[in-house]
Amino acid sequence: MPETKHGDKFIVPIGPQHPALKEPGHFEFTVDGETVTGASVRLGFVHRGIEKAAEERTYIQDLYLLERICGICSHVHAMAFALGVEKLAGVTVPERAQAIRVLVAEMERIHSHLLWLGVAAHEAGFDTLFMYAWRDREKVMDLLEQLCGNRVNYSINVLGGVKEDVNDVIRDGILSAMDYLETRTVLYLKLVTTERTLIGRTRGIGIMEKQTAARLGTVGPTARASGLERDIRLEAPYAAYLQYPARIVTEQTGDLEARFIVRVKELYESFRLIRGILSTLPGGELTTKMPRRIPEGETISRVEAPRGELFYYIKSNGSDKPDRVKVRTPSINNFASVMATAVGHKLADIPMILSGIDPCFSCNDRMVSIRGSEGQQAVDWEELRLYGIEYYR
Amino acid sequence: MSENMKSILSLLIFPGGLAVMAAGMIYEYIDRKLVARFQNRVGPRWFQPLADFIKLLAKEEVIPEGIHPVLFQWLPVVAIAGALTSALYVPMFGVEPAFHFTGDLVVTIYLLSILTLCTGLAGANVANRFSIIGATRTLTQLFSYEAPFLLALFGPAIAAGSWDIAVIEQYATSHPWLMVFQPIGFLVALIGLMGKLELPPFDAPEAETEIVSGALTEYSGRGYALFRLGRSVELVIGLTLVAAFYLGGVANPLLFLAKTLGLLLIIAALQSLFARLRIDQTVGLWWRSGAVLVLLQLLVLIALKYFGVAI
Amino acid sequence: MKIGSLIGDILKSFFKKPATILYPVERIHAPERYRGQLFWEPEKCSGCQLCVKDCPSNAIELIVLDKVNKRFVMRYDKDKCTYCAQCVASCRFACLNMNSDQWELASLRKEPFTVYYGKDEDVSFLLAERAATSHLHSTE
Ligand code: SF4
Ligand code: SF4
């Protein structure tokens, strides 16, 4: 690897294959010894053109396409899209279906947060916690598989409702798993707040003030760990969150420890919501009739993904295919905070700070930009095509 | 059998050479298996270290550009040679050391450091940033645990009044376990061994989530295989040393097995209990608590010795 | 602040059976709703093509042999299917279902991935016809 020296700076490049996250993102950290003095990021290595592809497919097909934007929060993508399309079509989805959607969303949150806990522990070199967290996550995965029929892309949504119902066996299974997970969560909370070697890596690291968090537009647990009260489940309740209100979990310190605590405490919230839903699951139909052609119009749909606010903009031209679908994922909002908080920390802390926002790289396929001599530039579709032809000639 | 023949045998087959390498692989397996079980996993099968070794030997050794190729290829050889040589002065497998002379304790400790030194040099030799940072960390760590580790092994030496490993071992065998009288020394020696082997939580020099594989990032094939084997060999030697000094000696193979495996169990548990220490935390730990405490213990020992108290 | 708070857990794990399942030596049953291979019953099918239209990955094709007499053959590509069960939800006559037992579908060749469903005589008719046309093409 050739040395890249800019003046006296020593640049550590990480990526495009990140050694820690095994995902494509490119980071450049300017270091002075072990201390980071500058940071830059380049994303978009996984541009799949999903938004464009969505315009070529029918609404029903898009549901499954959009579900595949992210493998971890697949359900919320499908749910956000379905809610938006249902709003456009003006149909009311049965209460039971909405409750099941929320149930799956909360189970997915548990799975996502446990996954994150494991990843973050692995970044901290705490592989035992990593293994335990993932072992316990397996419980929720199994339940989701039992309930929906799939482990990762659950595909439980259809436009106008859900496909699968909760029966007694599944309900009991979920309830007993929640009890088990709750005892485990007690342990994890104790661990992240008292284990000295872990606290040595998290307390006071990557501090982000409330103002900074607000200015950078952070969302989700990252924002809540800095004391920002941001949660779409409360601000604009969707699906069944009006009947089963979530309680917000915030921390004031804004460091990595706070992000650990917020996520672990949100697990409790999810357990509570799931128990609530299962005990008072409304009866009724699972689906309602849905038109194939969606009336002309545009709408936005916002949901709280495990990583923060997920935003969908859907424009319909009256046919059975959307005119435009725009997705804004939570990770893209949070990335700026990594770059802002990294400076001044030890190189060893960087993977921890990065994983602290629970980054999802597949969510970051925004646009293609070429870093040329005249700085960044945006490229449009035609230029990109020509560039591709030129590149592979 | 002529004297020369015997020397060569002990150098190549037993107790040095092959036997130590085999033991290294077996101990590496046990260590991995134990850690896996602590983490509720299945862990590798018994031949995994051997399979890894053979696989690495069979692979192409990529020699990166812009380096000193001779250094690149010979550093692993020197590293493992150092580790294997040190085995000759240690009562491996509960049999008498193959060679001994007054002062071989100091020589052994330095022979054991050759591996770490070579790792550091190997990292500094290549132009890879991860390697260079890894090398810096490896050497920083070397300087932080080396002194306390040395002092911790000097405790029994002072108690026995000799610098000869064989003599100290005999002393330890004929007296109650030194671990009881010098608990600090025992702990520091054990944890120092973990630092030496770069086991978690002291694996900052090769933290895969930060710097890929640290100093050895550019190594593949044979060189990497030798470095890994060298580390496994050091694991056995280190365990033997600690057991011989602090756990009442390793008079016969059975005692050797029982004691070293017991220590390995503790080390495996310690590996699974903690989050990785940052390199500055490691240095702080060793110099602020480790070194000071053993030094204190050593001073007490010397004072007792001076006043003629039997220990 | 404590150090080594996991000690109880690691000791427990040490004596517990590992959580790992040694697949394929050890097998577990997929849950009842698990979405495995898709199956189609020709008797009930009306030929409305809704399932084909809604499939997000073009994994199914309804080949019409005779529309009036309802002779259809369904081509199903297991490797294209994303196992979303949209086709199952779309079909108003419950012709389609996904089998929870058949999910180990990996293959080293491409051919086993394509299957034809339908009444035996229809399938053989279709395949014979296809073989004939491909023969025609190759001789041209
Ligand atoms: S399960 Fe989904 S992908 Fe598979 S055939 Fe049915 S609709 Fe198509
Ligand atoms: S939706 Fe059902 S009835 Fe219609 S073509 Fe498909 S299988 Fe036949």
Side-chain angles (χ1 to χ4, degrees), chain B:
Chain B
M1 211 193 296
S2 72
E3 197 55 24
N4 276 342
M5 198 61 198
K6 192 171 158 258
S7 304
I8 287 180
L9 268 186
S10 58
L11 204 63
L12 293 181
I13 314 282
F14 187 89
L18 277 182
V20 180
M21 288 198 225
M25 287 189 193
I26 296 169
Y27 275 63
E28 186 200 326
Y29 158 72
I30 299 174
D31 178 55
R32 281 168 66 178
K33 188 84 179 170
L34 283 174
V35 171
R37 290 310 304 268
F38 282 134
Q39 296 176 347
N40 210 353
R41 290 187 287 123
V42 173
R45 284 198 272 180
W46 65 269
F47 52 80
Q48 196 59 52
L50 184 65
D52 285 351
F53 186 69
I54 293 172
K55 181 194 81 180
L56 283 173
L57 283 188
K59 291 221 164 176
E60 179 195 0
E61 185 168 31
V62 181
I63 298 176
E65 275 175 26
I67 54 140
H68 197 296
V70 180
L71 214 54
F72 186 82
Q73 286 185 312
W74 282 94
L75 275 172
V77 180
V78 175
I80 191 156
L84 287 176
T85 316
S86 60
L88 298 176
Y89 301 103
V90 179
M92 297 302 297
F93 315 112
V95 300
E96 289 249 311
F99 304 99
H100 69 100
F101 57 88
T102 319
D104 59 6
L105 173 61
V106 183
V107 174
T108 308
I109 290 175
Y110 279 103
L111 280 175
L112 281 177
S113 295
I114 285 186
L115 174 74
T116 322
L117 207 62
C118 285
T119 314
L121 286 178
N125 184 22
V126 297
N128 182 327
R129 262 151 280 207
F130 299 125
S131 294
I132 292 170
I133 295 171
T136 322
R137 288 191 187 175
T138 304
L139 296 177
T140 315
Q141 184 148 315
L142 175 75
F143 289 122
S144 61
Y145 69 74
E146 197 64 11
F149 184 63
L150 203 72
L151 292 175
L153 291 184
F154 281 177
I158 286 173
S162 166
W163 297 101
D164 189 329
I165 295 181
V167 177
I168 303 170
E169 201 247 330
Q170 260 149 35
Y171 172 87
T173 318
S174 54
H175 286 73
W177 287 20
L178 281 175
M179 178 187 151
V180 183
F181 298 105
Q182 304 182 16
I184 299 174
F186 170 68
L187 266 182
V188 170
L190 199 63
I191 297 173
L193 183 63
M194 292 177 73
K196 205 176 189 51
L197 298 169
E198 296 178 358
L199 295 175
F202 303 109
D203 56 346
E206 46 167 290
E208 56 151 4
T209 51
E210 294 154 26
I211 48 171
V212 191
S213 199
L216 300 183
T217 305
E218 286 289 347
Y219 272 86
S220 54
R222 198 188 51 161
Y224 188 55
L226 291 183
F227 269 123
R228 282 183 44 135
L229 185 64
R231 198 167 293 168
S232 309
V233 166
E234 286 215 346
L235 173 68
V236 192
I237 298 172
L239 288 176
T240 316
L241 265 183
V242 178
F245 282 20
Y246 281 100
L247 297 186
V250 283
N252 59 48
L254 224 61
L255 275 179
F256 166 82
L257 265 186
K259 285 173 184 173
T260 48
L261 289 183
L263 283 178
L264 191 57
L265 186 71
I266 299 176
I267 285 190
L270 289 178
Q271 280 177 56
S272 23
L273 270 181
F274 307 117
R276 181 190 303 129
L277 295 176
R278 265 198 328 253
I279 191 74
D280 54 313
Q281 291 170 331
T282 313
V283 176
L285 175 79
W286 282 112
W287 285 109
R288 243 178 271 129
S289 13
V292 176
L293 283 174
V294 265
L295 210 58
L296 217 70
Q297 180 179 281
L298 215 58
L299 286 179
V300 172
L301 272 178
I302 293 173
L304 286 177
K305 196 97 179 160
Y306 185 74
F307 292 114
V309 185
I311 32 172

Side-chain angles (χ1 to χ4, degrees), chain A residues 28-49:
Chain A
E28 280 183 0
F29 295 108
T30 318
V31 291
D32 176 13
E34 282 262 329
T35 313
V36 174
T37 55
S40 77
V41 62
R42 183 181 165 194
L43 299 168
F45 288 95
V46 276
H47 185 79
R48 293 164 290 175

Side-chain angles (χ1 to χ4, degrees), chain A residues 57-72:
Chain A
R57 286 166 174 75
T58 65
Y59 285 99
I60 294 177
Q61 291 174 324
D62 280 342
L63 195 60
Y64 304 101
L65 176 71
L66 295 167
E67 193 169 53
R68 279 160 180 78
I69 287 180
C70 175
I72 298 168

Side-chain angles (χ1 to χ4, degrees), chain C residues 78-79 104-113:
Chain C
K78 294 185 237 179
D79 53 339
E104 288 163 307
L105 304 175
S107 164
L108 290 175
R109 290 171 305 119
K110 220 169 150 39
E111 295 80 57
F113 286 129

Side-chain angles (χ1 to χ4, degrees), chain A residues 60-61 64 68 126 132 135 145-150 154-155 158 163-165 170 184 194-196 292, chain C residues 1-6 9-10 13 19 31 33-35 50 53-56 82-86 89:
Chain A
I60 294 177
Q61 291 174 324
Y64 304 101
R68 279 160 180 78
F126 200 170
Y132 286 173
R135 177 194 67 193
E145 187 183 16
Q146 231 177 61
L147 173 62
C148 312
N150 274 351
Y154 318 113
S155 303
V158 282
K163 287 183 196 135
E164 308 284 355
D165 200 1
I170 289 173
R184 297 298 302 175
T194 62
E195 170 65 36
R196 206 154 154 186
R292 287 190 169 254
Chain C
M1 285 249 240
K2 276 197 230 116
I3 191 149
S5 347
L6 264 184
D9 263 75
I10 67 161
S13 303
R33 287 183 188 171
Y34 193 76
R35 293 176 187 150
L50 276 185
K53 216 170 149 223
D54 286 346
C55 173
T82 57
Y83 303 91
C84 64
Q86 175 61 44

